[in-house]
Amino acid sequence: MPLPTTNHQIRLAARPVGLPQASDWSHTTAPVTEPVEGGLLIKTLALSIDPAMRGWMNEGKSYIAPVGIGEVMRAGGVGQVIASRHPDYAVGDMVSAGLGVQEYLALAPSDIARSGLTKIDLRMGSLSQWLNVLGMPGMTGYFGLMDVGQPRAGETLVVSGAAGAVGQTVGQVAKIKGCRVVGIAGGQAKCDWVVQELGFDACIDYKASPSAVREGLKTHCPKGVDIYFDNVGGDILDTVLTRINRKARIVICGAISQYNNTTPVKGPANYLSLLVNRARMEGIVVFDYADRYAVGVAEMAGYLREGRMKSKEDIVIGLDQFPTTLLKLFQGENFGKLVLQVAEA
Ligand code: NAP
């Protein structure tokens, strides 16, 4: 089959202030190039749309360099090898890699390690599950919970962003490990889903009233909170801090409530609760666990196979939908892992 000729791409045009605008992006085209010796050409099938993308658009020091102005927007994704001059990859192989918001990625040998290129096995899970529970968010939830949260049977775990990508993995793994699991999510539909479908013990709709989190924690965590897996930061983190137990572990995974701030990030006023309770708060970055992903994937795939774990993805179709799709995360409009489908396999 002849190779396609045109690669549609979305590039960062400007650094946003607050929520990203249409003018922060440019839609460009480039020729599709044949792979060089030792390289391969990947067709993007689906992209992972992540809250972290907002941080990558900012100037300044972080755990990863910012996306440069004029560069193709960074994105993890799953795709299919459509041309290969690499001995270990054949045409038709399904892979996951840092593909970028574009239809095709030509990987030179020198870029392969940095791209995180990995073969994926669709018998273990669907393409979209490879962006969810078997992919980066799943590994974040699993390793963040196991390494930093250190769950013990009988303990109470609270997770915010409960119906999202990371949250759904955290809550379900914590249940499997024997914890009482209380989610925090926006809206009754998300709360019903995590309780009725995923088996959480309770879920607090933080949008129900200004005191919903405080009252919900009192009702649903009668023995206090041993682990708080924080995906949102801000007021919810501050409120959970008032309910923690001695030696509690607070996993700082993300703070989506703060990512579009035009004022400084709001820190937790109640942090002295850590002192009183001899508790700790620790950040995690999923990429630190890259050499153990295979272990996490095998465990998650086992739970899926045994029917002990479910996953939900929210799929939007079309590369051009990227700018508006990203915004869904910050308005809580995604229900499950947000995926942008770019092409059919
Ligand atoms: P997600 O939960 O699937 O989607 C984001 C969700 O955040 C929204 O659906 C919304 O759910 C909630 N949200 C948005 N604005 C909020 C606000 N102001 N207050 C409270 N909740 C708000 O996203 P995800 O991919 O699983 O990521 C969850 C968190 O983990 C993010 O903070 C992300 O940056 C972080 N993360 C960290 C790592 C790492 O290595 N440290 C890796 C992956 C992800 P509701 O409808 O429930 O409000």
Side-chain angles (χ1 to χ4, degrees), residues 53-128:
M53 289 172 153
R54 180 63 189 84
W56 302 338
M57 297 166 77
N58 292 339
E59 194 81 72
K61 189 171 174 290
S62 186
Y63 61 91
I64 193 169
V67 176
I69 299 294
E71 284 179 7
V72 173
M73 181 59 193
R74 180 183 295 139
V78 288
Q80 190 163 29
V81 176
I82 57 168
S84 178
R85 297 181 69 189
H86 189 293
D88 300 338
Y89 291 88
V91 170
D93 281 352
M94 292 291 182
V95 293
S96 101
L99 298 177
V101 185
Q102 58 183 345
E103 292 176 309
Y104 301 97
L105 173 68
L107 266 181
S110 54
D111 294 333
I112 287 179
R114 196 159 23 107
S115 77
L117 181 70
T118 318
K119 280 189 203 177
I120 60 172
D121 181 346
L122 295 184
R123 291 168 303 185
M124 296 169 87
S126 66
L127 267 184
S128 56

Side-chain angles (χ1 to χ4, degrees), residues 57 92 130 141 252:
M57 297 166 77
W130 274 101
I252 301 295

Side-chain angles (χ1 to χ4, degrees), residues 50-52 136 140 161 164-166 185-186 190 206-207 231-232 236 253-257 259 284-286 329-330 332 334 336:
D50 294 301
M136 185 278 288
T140 305
V166 174
K190 290 184 179 182
Y206 74 92
K207 291 181 174 169
N231 285 315
V232 304
I236 294 178
C253 175
I256 193 167
S257 71
Y259 292 173
I284 66 130
V285 173
V286 64
L329 291 169
F330 307 110
N334 62 307

Side-chain angles (χ1 to χ4, degrees), residues 278-313:
R278 293 77 157 170
R280 79 188 151 82
M281 194 183 254
E282 188 174 332
I284 66 130
V285 173
V286 64
F287 305 125
D288 294 348
Y289 298 95
D291 60 351
R292 291 165 58 196
Y293 284 171
V295 174
V297 167
E299 189 168 332
M300 299 303 104
Y303 296 147
L304 286 174
R305 196 176 52 244
E306 293 158 8
R308 299 172 76 192
M309 182 176 254
K310 294 182 180 168
S311 74
K312 185 177 180 67
E313 295 86 32

